[in-house]
């Protein structure tokens, strides 16, 4: 995976998780306000029920008020239950986001390790190839120096032209030039 994509994905994940957490806090605050209101309404209901020893018309008026309060209490209970369910859903979403973030982070770490290992391997290969190139350049310079010395010696001795060979084997090794005999030397040995 691309590092920019991983970073962007992680940022989006965190932003979404923060939004879910904020919603959770708002619901919890609403829940507490509703519970406080519910307690106050229940206290008012109890006070009304204690004061029922009043006249019949006042009793009827109080009963209708109590009925209204009971309806409001039932509505508040329903709202509290709905808020609790919504809070539970948000908690589940938070847990899911956290699991996704942890999984993604774990995947990103393993991908980073894999990329780092590939990078290290390629650096080793580059170092090895550079050393081999330098070695071959040194061998080539030796051969060029030998060729130059042979050219110089050929111009000095015009009577006899020795048999000379330049041999470079297919394995990338070097061969030395032997101008007096047909003996071939490779890698410092005579064959």
């Amino acid at each position: 995976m691309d590092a920019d994509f991983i970073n962007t994905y992680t940022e989006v994940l965190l932003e979404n998780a923060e939004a879910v957490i904020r919603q959770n806090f708002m619901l919890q605050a609403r829940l507490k306000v509703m519970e406080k209101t519910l307690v106050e309404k229940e206290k008012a209901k109890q006070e009304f029920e204690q004061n029922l020893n009043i006249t019949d018309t006042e009793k009827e008026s109080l009963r209708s008020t109590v009925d209204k309060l009971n309806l409001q209490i039932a509505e508040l209970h329903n709202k509290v239950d709905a808020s609790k369910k919504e809070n539970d859903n948000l908690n589940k979403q938070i847990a899911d986001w956290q699991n996704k973030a942890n999984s993604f982070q774990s995947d990103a770490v393993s991908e980073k390790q894999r990329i780092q290992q590939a990078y290290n391997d390629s650096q080793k290969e580059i170092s090895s190839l550079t050393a081999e190139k330098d070695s071959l350049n040194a061998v080539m310079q030796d051969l060029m120096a030998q060729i130059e010395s042979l050219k110089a010696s050929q111009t000095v001795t015009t009577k006899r032209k020795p048999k000379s060979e330049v041999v470079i084997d297919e394995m990338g090794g070097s061969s030395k030039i032997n101008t007096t005999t047909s003996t071939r030397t490779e890698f410092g040995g005579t064959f």
Side-chain angles (χ1 to χ4, degrees), residues 116-152:
Q116 184 64 44
Q117 183 62 40
Y119 174 77
N120 291 343
D121 290 346
S122 65
Q123 288 300 321
K124 286 177 187 175
E125 181 71 19
I126 288 170
S127 295
S128 172
L129 291 173
T130 302
E132 186 177 338
K133 179 188 92 154
D134 292 344
S135 172
L136 288 175
N137 282 340
V139 168
M140 213 165 72
Q141 287 176 353
D142 285 347
L143 287 174
M144 293 303 283
Q146 288 177 8
I147 290 171
E148 289 299 320
S149 70
L150 280 177
K151 283 182 181 180

Side-chain angles (χ1 to χ4, degrees), residues 53-95:
N53 296 333
I54 314 172
T55 64
D56 286 340
T57 56
E58 291 177 337
K59 283 183 182 180
E60 285 301 317
S61 170
L62 288 175
R63 280 190 186 129
S64 69
T65 305
V66 166
D67 289 341
K68 288 178 185 177
L69 287 174
N70 283 335
L71 285 174
Q72 289 178 352
I73 288 171
E75 288 175 7
L76 285 174
H77 277 294
N78 290 337
K79 288 180 181 179
V80 166
D81 291 341
S83 293
K84 284 181 179 177
K85 287 179 183 177
E86 194 172 341
N87 187 29
D88 291 341
N89 287 337
L90 285 174
N91 286 336
K92 286 179 185 176
Q93 287 178 357
I94 289 170

Side-chain angles (χ1 to χ4, degrees), residues 4-65:
D4 290 336
F5 175 76
I6 291 170
N7 290 337
T8 304
Y9 184 80
T10 303
E11 288 176 16
V12 168
L13 229 111
L14 291 175
E15 288 173 3
N16 287 339
E18 287 175 4
V20 170
I21 290 170
R22 274 191 233 115
Q23 287 178 348
N24 188 11
F25 289 149
M26 291 297 291
L27 284 173
Q28 287 180 0
R30 285 188 210 146
L31 182 64
K32 287 193 185 249
V33 168
M34 286 182 199
E35 287 175 347
K36 185 177 178 182
T37 305
L38 180 64
V39 168
E40 291 172 0
K41 300 259 181 183
E42 285 180 354
K43 284 182 184 177
K45 176 185 172 185
Q46 288 174 357
E47 288 176 9
F48 278 115
E49 288 175 350
Q50 289 175 356
N51 292 328
L52 283 179
N53 296 333
I54 314 172
T55 64
D56 286 340
T57 56
E58 291 177 337
K59 283 183 182 180
E60 285 301 317
S61 170
L62 288 175
R63 280 190 186 129
S64 69
T65 305

